Structure formats: C-alpha cells, structure tokens
Amino acid sequence: MVWPWTQKKPELSVAPEQKSAQIDFVDHLVAALPDPILILDSNGIVIKANANAEEMLEMAPVGMHLSQTIRAPAVLEAVTRAMSQGESLNVDYEMRGPLARHFEVYVSPIASAQVESPAVLLVLKDLTREQQIERMRSDFVANASHELRTPLASLSGFIETLQGAARSDETAREKFLILMRTQAERMRRLIDDLLSLSRIEMNVHLRPSAKVDLAQVARHVCDLLSSMAQEEKVELQINLNSPLEVAGEWDELVQVVLNLIENAIKYSGPGKIVKIEGGTETGFVTLSVIDQGRGIAEEHIPRLTERFYRISVQESRSRGGTGLGLAIVKHILNRHRGRLLVTSKLGHGSRFTIRLPSL
Ligand code: ADP
C-alpha cells in the first residue's frame, strides 16, 4: 500500500510511556463518542470499534476485515481512496434487513502515533430517524392536500351544476346549497384541526402549569355534547365523585375529552350508554370514556393516533370526522406528560383512558 500523504505529515516521535498514555486516551475518546466509530489499519482490518459500532453492526468487529462487517462497495471504495490519496469523504450506506437503517459514513485517513502504519477513521451518522421524520412530513402534506381537495372538488362540481343544468331549478338549487354547506363545513373542520395540531406541536416543549380539575372538564364537555348525545340516542353517564387535579391547560384538556366523548357517541349507535369514569393511581389521575359500540380490532389500536388514520374512511367522513381527532389528543397529552391507553373488544365496545400526572 502506498501512503503518499503520510510523507507530508510525519508522525511525532514519542517516548514509550507517552505512547501508552496516548493509546489509553484514544481508546477512551473513541468509546465516548456518540456515533458508531471504526478505526482500520492499512490492511483494512478493524483495530478499534466503540460500543455504538458493535451495537449497530450486531457483532464485535475488531480483528475482522471491513468488508466482513460493512458490505457496501461505496464504503469500501471510500476507504481505498482515503488510504491511497489521503482524501476525506462522506458516503451513504444503507443497512438492509427487516429494520433498514440509513447512515452517512465519514471516511478519513488518520496519521496515528500508536498504530504502526497510518489508519482510516469511519464515523457512521445514523440518519434513519431524520429520514423517517422527513417522510412523515411529506406524507402529511400529501394527505392534508388530498383531504382538502375532495370537498373542494365537490364544491366546484355543485357550482358548475348551479351555473348550468340547475340554473333555474329552485328545488335543485336549495338541495345543492345544503350539500355545498356540508362540504364547506368539512373543509372548515379540517382546517381547524390542522391549525390545532400545528399550534400544539409548536408548544409541545412548554409544559402547562395551571391547576385544572379533569372531573370539571368532563362535566363541561358532557354539557357541550348533551344535544349531540340526544340526537344520536346515546346516554351519557358520568361517574366522577372526587376532583381529579392536574397541571394543565383547560382549553386543551377540554379538546381531549371532547374528542374522546364525541368519538364514543359517534361510533356507538342508538340505545347505547357512554360512561365517563375517573380514577387515581399512585402519582397519576385517570379519566376513562367507555362505550358499548362495535369495538376496535387489535391491529388498528396502535395506529389510531396517526394523523388521518381511520378504520373506515367512508364512515368517518359521513360522521363529519377528519381523522385528526386522536392525533390531537396524543399531542396534547404529550405536552401534559400524559398518555392515552386504549383497550377494546370487537362487538363489545372500547375504553379510552387518559392518564396524567396528578398535582
Ligand atoms: P375521526 O375524525 O375519523 O373520528 P379520530 O382520530 O378521532 O378521527 O379517530 C380515528 C379513528 O379511530 C376513527 O375514524 C374510528 O375509525 C376509530 N375510533 C375512534 N374512536 C372510536 C370508538 N370509540 N369506537 C370505535 N372506533 C373508534
């Protein structure tokens, strides 16, 4: 192997005791770095690896040739270039497998006092999470645009009909105006929910501090929803004896409880009862909304709080849903350091419990 660049940077000669102190220091430095680190000798053999690298590669790579641990031609080529031309460079590395991970690998030659011949440093920066977030963001924009476009297309259709075929048909006009109002309402709800989500996300790191009684929130929400419950022929039963005090923001907690009780009414059906129960666990208070609706199959439960996730898009739309209600619930609870717990049995109903640190 030719090392033209080493001639430009001769190594400092050091006393043996100094050399061993340096080795110790380098070992500690490599171990302390947050990214996976590999150091290769001039033959491409791994001579140092920190715990992060071992975890990422799922093996102890020291003593192995790099090609046995990272089978990526681009990375191997970068190492060869670093060795032969003394060049530092960044390359992409995709780790395949059931849980694919994406890394940016920084490859750089190092002139080391402790290694007999100059070596190569590899720093692997895990970009998987950033890429996932980026993908979620663009999916979200695509979904939101699609959701807004649907009612907009209906509105345009109705306007065209009113300007054309139904121009002088009084009865048709009335009918179309009612339909147009429904579509406009749907757009308004969607925009309101999108704005709520972005407002909550902006404040996610600011923990609310006002004293709020969840029992009072639940009673207030039941009042707000009493006419909806009557129309749907659903009975609301509140079982809240003692106060459930938390540090929170009243309006946001109202929104959480409103979304849960509204869903319980919507997805129950006539003749059913929706119960609201409070409880305490060490250090926490809980509020549960229990319905006797159709229940939710197990595979859907972990995904319910994803934006726009609906078990039946058609049904959610026909009930005026946006698919954002539970995403809003989750974000508000995150801000309050709380959690949403969902249990359900198909054909028997569901229980949505919010758990918040007690005051
Ligand atoms: P939506 O606006 O569609 O109601 P949500 O985010 O509030 O959106 O809820 C997401 C989905 O979860 C709903 O579309 C529905 O399929 C399901 N869901 C929520 N609450 C219940 C419930 N109490 N019973 C059955 N399904 C529910």
Side-chain angles (χ1 to χ4, degrees):
M1 190 70 55
V2 190
W3 296 90
W5 49 278
T6 56
Q7 276 131 37
K8 283 181 240 148
K9 279 193 208 165
E11 286 182 19
L12 292 175
S13 56
V14 284
E17 65 279 10
Q18 259 183 316
K19 200 162 180 170
S20 116
Q22 275 182 358
I23 293 175
D24 201 36
F25 176 72
V26 171
D27 283 350
H28 283 95
L29 184 71
V30 168
L33 288 169
D35 292 318
I37 306 278
L38 296 174
I39 297 180
L40 313 180
D41 70 5
S42 58
N43 296 312
I45 304 292
V46 181
I47 52 170
K48 281 191 197 306
N50 63 2
N52 287 329
E54 290 184 357
E55 192 192 313
M56 176 217 131
L57 296 167
E58 293 177 0
M59 60 169 94
V62 171
M64 289 183 177
H65 192 269
L66 180 67
S67 60
Q68 291 173 286
T69 61
I70 296 182
R71 290 180 198 86
V75 177
L76 301 175
E77 216 176 283
V79 168
T80 311
R81 274 175 67 179
M83 283 184 184
S84 58
Q85 289 158 34
E87 232 180 273
S88 302
L89 56 168
N90 280 306
V91 282
D92 279 346
Y93 167 47
E94 177 123 19
M95 220 174 129
R96 294 178 203 283
L99 289 172
R101 286 165 77 182
H102 197 141
F103 293 88
E104 184 180 63
V105 188
Y106 174 67
V107 184
S108 175
I110 39 171
S112 158
Q114 56 162 305
V115 183
E116 288 316 313
S117 49
V120 174
L121 167 78
L122 276 83
V123 184
L124 293 101
K125 192 168 162 46
D126 194 344
L127 300 179
T128 318
R129 174 108 188 98
E130 278 166 40
Q131 286 189 337
Q132 260 170 0
I133 292 172
E134 197 42 53
R135 203 169 309 132
M136 273 164 63
R137 216 185 290 279
S138 59
D139 281 357
F140 173 62
V141 171
N143 280 333
S145 314
H146 174 76
E147 291 293 327
L148 281 168
R149 196 180 289 145
T150 317
L152 192 63
S154 307
L155 275 174
S156 304
F158 291 137
I159 292 169
E160 243 170 64
T161 318
L162 284 176
Q163 284 176 327
R167 180 171 217 120
S168 35
D169 184 340
E170 190 84 16
T171 335
R173 195 167 65 211
E174 279 313 304
K175 198 178 99 194
F176 281 126
L177 283 174
I178 293 170
L179 293 172
M180 286 168 79
R181 195 188 175 128
T182 313
Q183 296 304 324
E185 271 297 306
R186 188 172 146 199
M187 289 179 82
R188 187 193 53 75
R189 271 198 308 273
L190 202 62
I191 290 166
D192 283 352
D193 280 357
L194 287 170
L195 288 174
S196 286
L197 255 184
S198 90
R199 199 188 53 240
I200 300 155
E201 268 183 336
M202 267 195 301
N203 292 334
V204 78
H205 299 295
L206 301 173
R207 199 172 170 185
S209 56
K211 186 158 125 184
V212 178
D213 176 7
L214 269 186
Q216 225 176 316
V217 170
R219 281 188 213 102
H220 172 68
V221 170
C222 286
D223 285 345
L224 293 177
L225 292 177
S226 62
S227 55
M228 175 186 178
Q230 253 170 21
E231 271 167 38
E232 300 283 336
K233 300 189 174 52
V234 170
E235 187 188 335
L236 296 180
Q237 278 184 7
I238 315 180
N239 188 7
L240 296 163
N241 303 319
S242 46
L244 302 167
E245 284 176 346
V246 296
E249 194 169 310
W250 170 267
D251 287 347
E252 289 194 355
L253 291 173
V254 164
Q255 194 164 9
V256 165
V257 179
L258 189 105
N259 288 358
L260 296 182
I261 302 183
E262 210 174 50
N263 277 351
I265 299 173
K266 268 194 317 198
Y267 301 110
S268 273
K272 297 286 164 58
I273 297 172
V274 170
K275 291 185 189 164
I276 295 107
E277 290 177 359
T280 49
E281 291 169 14
T282 8
F284 293 95
V285 297
T286 61
L287 185 86
S288 300
V289 177
I290 306 145
D291 68 56
Q292 304 170 327
R294 75 201 60 171
I296 304 164
E298 214 174 310
E299 68 268 23
H300 294 297
I301 293 180
R303 302 199 58 190
L304 292 179
T305 54
E306 284 175 24
R307 292 154 190 207
F308 297 116
Y309 188 83
R310 285 155 289 186
I311 297 167
S312 157
V313 175
Q314 211 44 48
E315 188 191 12
S316 157
R317 281 198 187 143
S318 70
R319 312 290 335 243
T322 59
L324 292 172
L326 292 178
I328 291 175
V329 165
K330 184 180 113 178
H331 277 80
I332 294 179
L333 290 179
N334 281 349
R335 187 176 167 226
H336 285 74
R337 311 291 185 266
R339 283 193 64 195
L340 174 70
L341 310 158
V342 185
T343 50
S344 188
K345 203 161 170 216
L346 266 184
H348 292 270
S350 314
R351 172 189 283 259
F352 285 74
T353 300
I354 56 173
R355 191 168 67 178
L356 289 159
S358 53
L359 250 193

